[in-house]
mmCIF file of all heavy atoms in Angstrom:
data_model
loop_
_atom_site.group_PDB
_atom_site.id
_atom_site.type_symbol
_atom_site.label_atom_id
_atom_site.label_comp_id
_atom_site.label_asym_id
_atom_site.label_seq_id
_atom_site.Cartn_x
_atom_site.Cartn_y
_atom_site.Cartn_z
ATOM 1 N N LEU A 283 0.922 22.563 -5.828
ATOM 2 C CA LEU A 283 1.193 23.864 -5.221
ATOM 3 C C LEU A 283 1.648 23.702 -3.777
ATOM 4 O O LEU A 283 1.069 22.922 -3.013
ATOM 5 C CB LEU A 283 -0.065 24.735 -5.257
ATOM 6 C CG LEU A 283 -0.640 25.044 -6.641
ATOM 7 C CD1 LEU A 283 -1.728 26.110 -6.531
ATOM 8 C CD2 LEU A 283 0.430 25.483 -7.621
ATOM 9 N N GLU A 285 2.337 25.352 0.100
ATOM 10 C CA GLU A 285 1.494 26.206 0.946
ATOM 11 C C GLU A 285 1.700 27.681 0.594
ATOM 12 O O GLU A 285 0.761 28.470 0.636
ATOM 13 C CB GLU A 285 1.794 25.961 2.426
ATOM 14 C CG GLU A 285 1.177 24.676 2.960
ATOM 15 C CD GLU A 285 -0.323 24.568 2.673
ATOM 16 O OE1 GLU A 285 -1.058 25.538 2.961
ATOM 17 O OE2 GLU A 285 -0.770 23.537 2.142
ATOM 18 N N GLU A 286 2.941 28.054 0.241
ATOM 19 C CA GLU A 286 3.225 29.441 -0.149
ATOM 20 C C GLU A 286 2.468 29.794 -1.437
ATOM 21 O O GLU A 286 1.857 30.861 -1.543
ATOM 22 C CB GLU A 286 4.736 29.601 -0.355
ATOM 23 C CG GLU A 286 5.157 30.980 -0.851
ATOM 24 C CD GLU A 286 4.931 32.082 0.180
ATOM 25 O OE1 GLU A 286 4.868 31.773 1.374
ATOM 26 O OE2 GLU A 286 4.811 33.254 -0.248
ATOM 27 N N HIS A 287 2.474 28.880 -2.423
ATOM 28 C CA HIS A 287 1.738 29.125 -3.675
ATOM 29 C C HIS A 287 0.244 29.269 -3.397
ATOM 30 O O HIS A 287 -0.424 30.138 -3.960
ATOM 31 C CB HIS A 287 1.949 27.967 -4.656
ATOM 32 C CG HIS A 287 3.367 27.824 -5.113
ATOM 33 N ND1 HIS A 287 3.880 26.607 -5.498
ATOM 34 C CD2 HIS A 287 4.363 28.729 -5.248
ATOM 35 C CE1 HIS A 287 5.141 26.786 -5.846
ATOM 36 N NE2 HIS A 287 5.458 28.049 -5.711
ATOM 37 N N LYS A 288 -0.279 28.393 -2.527
ATOM 38 C CA LYS A 288 -1.719 28.442 -2.210
ATOM 39 C C LYS A 288 -2.066 29.744 -1.496
ATOM 40 O O LYS A 288 -3.134 30.316 -1.714
ATOM 41 C CB LYS A 288 -2.119 27.230 -1.367
ATOM 42 C CG LYS A 288 -2.068 25.936 -2.164
ATOM 43 C CD LYS A 288 -2.431 24.731 -1.305
ATOM 44 C CE LYS A 288 -2.332 23.447 -2.136
ATOM 45 N NZ LYS A 288 -2.676 22.264 -1.353
ATOM 46 N N HIS A 289 -1.158 30.194 -0.632
ATOM 47 C CA HIS A 289 -1.375 31.466 0.066
ATOM 48 C C HIS A 289 -1.474 32.601 -0.948
ATOM 49 O O HIS A 289 -2.363 33.456 -0.872
ATOM 50 C CB HIS A 289 -0.233 31.708 1.046
ATOM 51 C CG HIS A 289 -0.297 33.043 1.730
ATOM 52 N ND1 HIS A 289 -1.215 33.330 2.709
ATOM 53 C CD2 HIS A 289 0.430 34.172 1.549
ATOM 54 C CE1 HIS A 289 -1.036 34.582 3.108
ATOM 55 N NE2 HIS A 289 -0.059 35.120 2.411
ATOM 56 N N ARG A 290 -0.578 32.604 -1.952
ATOM 57 C CA ARG A 290 -0.614 33.644 -2.991
ATOM 58 C C ARG A 290 -1.896 33.537 -3.812
ATOM 59 O O ARG A 290 -2.495 34.553 -4.170
ATOM 60 C CB ARG A 290 0.596 33.514 -3.912
ATOM 61 C CG ARG A 290 1.898 33.865 -3.244
ATOM 62 C CD ARG A 290 3.064 33.520 -4.152
ATOM 63 N NE ARG A 290 4.307 33.545 -3.422
ATOM 64 C CZ ARG A 290 5.039 34.633 -3.230
ATOM 65 N NH1 ARG A 290 4.640 35.765 -3.747
ATOM 66 N NH2 ARG A 290 6.143 34.584 -2.543
ATOM 67 N N ALA A 291 -2.314 32.303 -4.121
ATOM 68 C CA ALA A 291 -3.545 32.117 -4.899
ATOM 69 C C ALA A 291 -4.750 32.631 -4.102
ATOM 70 O O ALA A 291 -5.653 33.258 -4.668
ATOM 71 C CB ALA A 291 -3.730 30.639 -5.256
ATOM 72 N N ARG A 292 -4.748 32.386 -2.768
ATOM 73 C CA ARG A 292 -5.864 32.873 -1.932
ATOM 74 C C ARG A 292 -5.918 34.398 -1.936
ATOM 75 O O ARG A 292 -7.000 34.985 -1.894
ATOM 76 C CB ARG A 292 -5.725 32.333 -0.502
ATOM 77 C CG ARG A 292 -6.295 30.924 -0.331
ATOM 78 C CD ARG A 292 -6.426 30.533 1.137
ATOM 79 N NE ARG A 292 -5.131 30.313 1.747
ATOM 80 C CZ ARG A 292 -4.498 29.147 1.760
ATOM 81 N NH1 ARG A 292 -5.052 28.086 1.210
ATOM 82 N NH2 ARG A 292 -3.324 29.017 2.312
ATOM 83 N N ARG A 293 -4.727 35.034 -2.002
ATOM 84 C CA ARG A 293 -4.716 36.501 -2.077
ATOM 85 C C ARG A 293 -5.364 36.971 -3.378
ATOM 86 O O ARG A 293 -6.056 37.991 -3.399
ATOM 87 C CB ARG A 293 -3.291 37.016 -1.949
ATOM 88 C CG ARG A 293 -2.855 37.040 -0.492
ATOM 89 C CD ARG A 293 -1.397 37.352 -0.297
ATOM 90 N NE ARG A 293 -0.978 38.573 -0.978
ATOM 91 C CZ ARG A 293 0.288 38.971 -1.038
ATOM 92 N NH1 ARG A 293 1.225 38.249 -0.455
ATOM 93 N NH2 ARG A 293 0.614 40.067 -1.661
ATOM 94 N N GLN A 294 -5.149 36.225 -4.476
ATOM 95 C CA GLN A 294 -5.799 36.580 -5.744
ATOM 96 C C GLN A 294 -7.313 36.394 -5.638
ATOM 97 O O GLN A 294 -8.084 37.165 -6.203
ATOM 98 C CB GLN A 294 -5.247 35.732 -6.901
ATOM 99 C CG GLN A 294 -3.794 36.033 -7.224
ATOM 100 C CD GLN A 294 -3.574 37.472 -7.649
ATOM 101 O OE1 GLN A 294 -4.412 38.066 -8.326
ATOM 102 N NE2 GLN A 294 -2.463 38.054 -7.234
ATOM 103 N N LEU A 295 -7.738 35.349 -4.901
ATOM 104 C CA LEU A 295 -9.182 35.133 -4.708
ATOM 105 C C LEU A 295 -9.805 36.300 -3.959
ATOM 106 O O LEU A 295 -10.927 36.716 -4.262
ATOM 107 C CB LEU A 295 -9.437 33.836 -3.932
ATOM 108 C CG LEU A 295 -9.072 32.520 -4.612
ATOM 109 C CD1 LEU A 295 -9.463 31.353 -3.722
ATOM 110 C CD2 LEU A 295 -9.715 32.404 -5.967
ATOM 111 N N LEU A 296 -9.071 36.826 -2.961
ATOM 112 C CA LEU A 296 -9.601 37.955 -2.206
ATOM 113 C C LEU A 296 -9.778 39.174 -3.106
ATOM 114 O O LEU A 296 -10.698 39.976 -2.915
ATOM 115 C CB LEU A 296 -8.657 38.302 -1.041
ATOM 116 C CG LEU A 296 -8.646 37.307 0.114
ATOM 117 C CD1 LEU A 296 -7.594 37.703 1.150
ATOM 118 C CD2 LEU A 296 -10.022 37.227 0.763
ATOM 119 N N ARG A 297 -8.901 39.321 -4.096
ATOM 120 C CA ARG A 297 -9.011 40.452 -5.018
ATOM 121 C C ARG A 297 -10.146 40.250 -6.013
ATOM 122 O O ARG A 297 -10.873 41.169 -6.335
ATOM 123 C CB ARG A 297 -7.690 40.640 -5.780
ATOM 124 C CG ARG A 297 -6.542 41.055 -4.892
ATOM 125 C CD ARG A 297 -5.250 41.123 -5.656
ATOM 126 N NE ARG A 297 -5.269 42.193 -6.660
ATOM 127 C CZ ARG A 297 -4.296 42.399 -7.542
ATOM 128 N NH1 ARG A 297 -3.246 41.608 -7.551
ATOM 129 N NH2 ARG A 297 -4.368 43.383 -8.393
ATOM 130 N N ARG A 298 -10.296 39.017 -6.519
ATOM 131 C CA ARG A 298 -11.275 38.776 -7.592
ATOM 132 C C ARG A 298 -12.652 38.380 -7.077
ATOM 133 O O ARG A 298 -13.628 38.486 -7.808
ATOM 134 C CB ARG A 298 -10.749 37.665 -8.516
ATOM 135 C CG ARG A 298 -9.437 38.024 -9.156
ATOM 136 C CD ARG A 298 -9.082 37.021 -10.193
ATOM 137 N NE ARG A 298 -7.743 37.236 -10.711
ATOM 138 C CZ ARG A 298 -7.292 36.688 -11.820
ATOM 139 N NH1 ARG A 298 -8.060 35.883 -12.510
ATOM 140 N NH2 ARG A 298 -6.069 36.920 -12.237
ATOM 141 N N ARG A 299 -12.706 37.840 -5.879
ATOM 142 C CA ARG A 299 -13.957 37.450 -5.241
ATOM 143 C C ARG A 299 -14.863 36.618 -6.152
ATOM 144 O O ARG A 299 -16.008 37.007 -6.448
ATOM 145 C CB ARG A 299 -14.721 38.679 -4.746
ATOM 146 C CG ARG A 299 -13.942 39.498 -3.725
ATOM 147 C CD ARG A 299 -14.848 40.310 -2.843
ATOM 148 N NE ARG A 299 -14.167 40.725 -1.617
ATOM 149 C CZ ARG A 299 -14.036 39.951 -0.543
ATOM 150 N NH1 ARG A 299 -14.544 38.734 -0.540
ATOM 151 N NH2 ARG A 299 -13.411 40.380 0.523
ATOM 152 N N PRO A 300 -14.378 35.447 -6.599
ATOM 153 C CA PRO A 300 -15.247 34.602 -7.425
ATOM 154 C C PRO A 300 -16.388 34.018 -6.585
ATOM 155 O O PRO A 300 -16.241 33.818 -5.377
ATOM 156 C CB PRO A 300 -14.306 33.489 -7.897
ATOM 157 C CG PRO A 300 -13.285 33.382 -6.816
ATOM 158 C CD PRO A 300 -13.094 34.799 -6.298
ATOM 159 N N GLY A 308 -18.595 32.103 -1.395
ATOM 160 C CA GLY A 308 -17.340 32.732 -1.786
ATOM 161 C C GLY A 308 -16.114 32.180 -1.081
ATOM 162 O O GLY A 308 -15.039 32.732 -1.204
ATOM 163 N N PHE A 310 -13.383 29.165 -0.629
ATOM 164 C CA PHE A 310 -12.854 28.028 -1.376
ATOM 165 C C PHE A 310 -11.572 27.525 -0.739
ATOM 166 O O PHE A 310 -10.805 28.301 -0.170
ATOM 167 C CB PHE A 310 -12.525 28.439 -2.818
ATOM 168 C CG PHE A 310 -13.725 28.914 -3.598
ATOM 169 C CD1 PHE A 310 -14.003 30.264 -3.698
ATOM 170 C CD2 PHE A 310 -14.565 28.019 -4.218
ATOM 171 C CE1 PHE A 310 -15.101 30.715 -4.406
ATOM 172 C CE2 PHE A 310 -15.666 28.453 -4.934
ATOM 173 C CZ PHE A 310 -15.937 29.797 -5.026
ATOM 174 N N GLN A 311 -11.355 26.217 -0.880
ATOM 175 C CA GLN A 311 -10.078 25.630 -0.552
ATOM 176 C C GLN A 311 -9.285 25.560 -1.858
ATOM 177 O O GLN A 311 -9.836 25.157 -2.892
ATOM 178 C CB GLN A 311 -10.307 24.223 0.006
ATOM 179 C CG GLN A 311 -9.218 23.747 0.909
ATOM 180 C CD GLN A 311 -9.620 22.471 1.636
ATOM 181 O OE1 GLN A 311 -10.593 21.829 1.296
ATOM 182 N NE2 GLN A 311 -8.838 22.109 2.623
ATOM 183 N N VAL A 312 -8.020 25.953 -1.825
ATOM 184 C CA VAL A 312 -7.191 25.957 -3.029
ATOM 185 C C VAL A 312 -6.493 24.615 -3.170
ATOM 186 O O VAL A 312 -5.903 24.101 -2.221
ATOM 187 C CB VAL A 312 -6.151 27.094 -2.951
ATOM 188 C CG1 VAL A 312 -5.225 27.068 -4.172
ATOM 189 C CG2 VAL A 312 -6.844 28.450 -2.849
ATOM 190 N N VAL A 332 -6.379 26.899 -11.563
ATOM 191 C CA VAL A 332 -6.147 26.507 -10.172
ATOM 192 C C VAL A 332 -7.429 25.887 -9.627
ATOM 193 O O VAL A 332 -8.506 26.499 -9.700
ATOM 194 C CB VAL A 332 -5.728 27.722 -9.316
ATOM 195 C CG1 VAL A 332 -5.550 27.323 -7.855
ATOM 196 C CG2 VAL A 332 -4.441 28.329 -9.861
ATOM 197 N N LEU A 334 -10.316 24.781 -7.234
ATOM 198 C CA LEU A 334 -10.953 25.324 -6.034
ATOM 199 C C LEU A 334 -12.039 24.354 -5.589
ATOM 200 O O LEU A 334 -12.730 23.769 -6.422
ATOM 201 C CB LEU A 334 -11.598 26.680 -6.324
ATOM 202 C CG LEU A 334 -10.700 27.809 -6.811
ATOM 203 C CD1 LEU A 334 -11.538 29.043 -7.109
ATOM 204 C CD2 LEU A 334 -9.622 28.121 -5.789
ATOM 205 N N ILE A 348 -10.230 28.469 -11.102
ATOM 206 C CA ILE A 348 -10.070 29.854 -11.535
ATOM 207 C C ILE A 348 -8.789 29.934 -12.349
ATOM 208 O O ILE A 348 -7.801 29.259 -12.021
ATOM 209 C CB ILE A 348 -10.045 30.812 -10.326
ATOM 210 C CG1 ILE A 348 -10.091 32.269 -10.790
ATOM 211 C CG2 ILE A 348 -8.844 30.559 -9.433
ATOM 212 C CD1 ILE A 348 -10.292 33.273 -9.655
ATOM 213 N N LEU A 350 -5.540 31.704 -13.330
ATOM 214 C CA LEU A 350 -4.598 32.699 -12.812
ATOM 215 C C LEU A 350 -3.327 32.635 -13.646
ATOM 216 O O LEU A 350 -2.995 31.594 -14.210
ATOM 217 C CB LEU A 350 -4.238 32.405 -11.348
ATOM 218 C CG LEU A 350 -5.339 32.482 -10.300
ATOM 219 C CD1 LEU A 350 -4.779 32.092 -8.934
ATOM 220 C CD2 LEU A 350 -5.940 33.881 -10.231
ATOM 221 N N SER A 353 2.561 34.174 -12.852
ATOM 222 C CA SER A 353 3.232 35.276 -12.158
ATOM 223 C C SER A 353 2.417 35.783 -10.974
ATOM 224 O O SER A 353 2.942 36.495 -10.111
ATOM 225 C CB SER A 353 3.503 36.426 -13.129
ATOM 226 O OG SER A 353 2.299 36.883 -13.712
ATOM 227 N N GLU A 354 1.136 35.423 -10.906
ATOM 228 C CA GLU A 354 0.288 35.875 -9.807
ATOM 229 C C GLU A 354 0.393 34.990 -8.567
ATOM 230 O O GLU A 354 -0.008 35.397 -7.481
ATOM 231 C CB GLU A 354 -1.183 35.921 -10.240
ATOM 232 C CG GLU A 354 -1.477 37.008 -11.259
ATOM 233 C CD GLU A 354 -2.918 36.986 -11.725
ATOM 234 O OE1 GLU A 354 -3.442 35.891 -12.029
ATOM 235 O OE2 GLU A 354 -3.515 38.062 -11.811
ATOM 236 N N PHE A 355 0.892 33.753 -8.739
ATOM 237 C CA PHE A 355 0.911 32.885 -7.560
ATOM 238 C C PHE A 355 2.109 31.942 -7.484
ATOM 239 O O PHE A 355 2.343 31.357 -6.433
ATOM 240 C CB PHE A 355 -0.387 32.062 -7.477
ATOM 241 C CG PHE A 355 -0.535 31.010 -8.541
ATOM 242 C CD1 PHE A 355 -0.261 29.681 -8.242
ATOM 243 C CD2 PHE A 355 -0.929 31.327 -9.811
ATOM 244 C CE1 PHE A 355 -0.390 28.710 -9.201
ATOM 245 C CE2 PHE A 355 -1.051 30.361 -10.796
ATOM 246 C CZ PHE A 355 -0.780 29.056 -10.484
ATOM 247 N N LEU A 356 2.883 31.793 -8.582
ATOM 248 C CA LEU A 356 3.980 30.820 -8.553
ATOM 249 C C LEU A 356 5.330 31.433 -8.215
ATOM 250 O O LEU A 356 6.207 30.753 -7.714
ATOM 251 C CB LEU A 356 4.098 30.106 -9.901
ATOM 252 C CG LEU A 356 3.066 29.018 -10.176
ATOM 253 C CD1 LEU A 356 3.316 28.408 -11.546
ATOM 254 C CD2 LEU A 356 3.085 27.939 -9.109
ATOM 255 N N THR A 357 5.497 32.727 -8.508
ATOM 256 C CA THR A 357 6.811 33.326 -8.304
ATOM 257 C C THR A 357 7.062 33.566 -6.825
ATOM 258 O O THR A 357 6.135 33.771 -6.052
ATOM 259 C CB THR A 357 6.923 34.653 -9.070
ATOM 260 O OG1 THR A 357 5.775 35.444 -8.779
ATOM 261 C CG2 THR A 357 6.998 34.409 -10.561
ATOM 262 N N SER A 358 8.320 33.532 -6.454
ATOM 263 C CA SER A 358 8.654 33.744 -5.045
ATOM 264 C C SER A 358 9.385 35.061 -4.872
ATOM 265 O O SER A 358 9.835 35.660 -5.821
ATOM 266 C CB SER A 358 9.520 32.605 -4.524
ATOM 267 O OG SER A 358 10.633 32.438 -5.365
#
Side-chain angles (χ1 to χ4, degrees):
L283 300 190
E285 283 308 310
E286 176 67 23
H287 295 152
K288 291 178 181 180
H289 175 73
R290 291 172 194 274
R292 276 193 289 271
R293 280 172 53 186
Q294 293 299 324
L295 294 183
L296 288 175
R297 294 176 66 186
R298 300 189 187 195
R299 300 204 161 278
F310 298 96
Q311 205 169 13
V312 177
V332 177
L334 300 177
I348 189 171
L350 296 177
S353 58
E354 291 177 314
F355 69 101
L356 283 180
T357 49
S358 53

